[in-house]
Amino acid sequence: MKPVQKKKLCFMCGTYFDVGSQPKDFCGAACRMRYMRAKRKGNAPRRGLNKVITTEDVFKPEPVEPEPVTMVFSNADVLAASDGVCVECYKLIDRSGPCASGWLLPLEAGGEPVLANRVPLHIACKARWEARTANGRARKKRIAGKRRDA
């Protein structure tokens, strides 16, 4: 197993240097002498604030958020995965004719780009569906569910 390199920040020049097993505060003699001269003048940095760090701490890569993945579904895929009923007017959609689809919960509102979040629509109903907010869609779906059950 490879030993972990220990590094420290030089008080005077601000570069990282290897510490090893010795208690060092400066990268070399020149920085140590600069510190001693500054100490005599009374404007030296305080010692003891510099801690030993490992190379993993110094060169740790910043976490990168992955780009959001948007899955592409055709309107035919959405229609095939559903029961074939327009969610805006609740009429059957002709499978051989043109159709549209929309997001059940929009991506801006936290919806996921999956097929289960896509709903089939008539082309004429698409504008009304897009104009409705996410809260309005949920309310419409609850009311429609009560109507169907009754």
Side-chain angles (χ1 to χ4, degrees):
M1 187 168 135
K2 187 177 179 180
V4 176
Q5 276 188 319
K6 295 179 182 178
K7 294 195 176 274
K8 212 170 188 184
L9 187 66
C10 179
F11 279 113
M12 297 311 292
C13 65
T15 60
Y16 287 100
F17 64 95
D18 291 329
V19 175
S21 61
Q22 301 169 1
K24 296 180 185 178
D25 287 328
F26 306 101
C27 63
C31 286
R32 189 177 71 245
M33 294 309 292
R34 278 180 50 202
Y35 176 80
M36 294 304 233
R37 283 192 294 274
K39 185 178 176 184
R40 275 186 246 133
K41 291 180 184 176
N43 55 1
R46 285 183 34 205
R47 289 174 78 172
L49 300 176
N50 197 2
K51 65 177 187 149
V52 175
I53 56 174
T54 61
T55 53
E56 288 82 21
D57 295 333
V58 177
F59 303 107
K60 190 180 293 181
E62 294 183 17
V64 178
E65 288 191 30
E67 291 288 325
V69 178
T70 305
M71 303 299 268
V72 180
F73 308 109
S74 69
N75 293 333
D77 294 338
V78 175
L79 188 59
S82 69
D83 57 355
V85 175
C86 175
V87 294
E88 182 65 29
C89 65
Y90 302 111
K91 294 180 183 172
L92 279 176
I93 298 173
D94 183 20
R95 293 195 183 268
S96 62
C99 70
S101 65
W103 295 108
L104 181 62
L105 182 61
L107 300 177
E108 302 85 37
E112 294 182 16
V114 294
L115 185 60
N117 193 25
R118 297 290 284 176
V119 290
L121 298 161
H122 288 112
I123 292 176
C125 298
K126 172 100 173 154
R128 284 192 309 250
W129 179 259
E130 295 295 329
R132 184 168 296 150
T133 64
N135 291 338
R137 291 179 193 171
R139 187 169 153 255
K140 181 175 174 66
K141 197 168 185 175
R142 274 195 315 269
I143 292 169
K146 289 178 183 175
R147 284 187 203 149
R148 285 184 185 170
D149 294 339

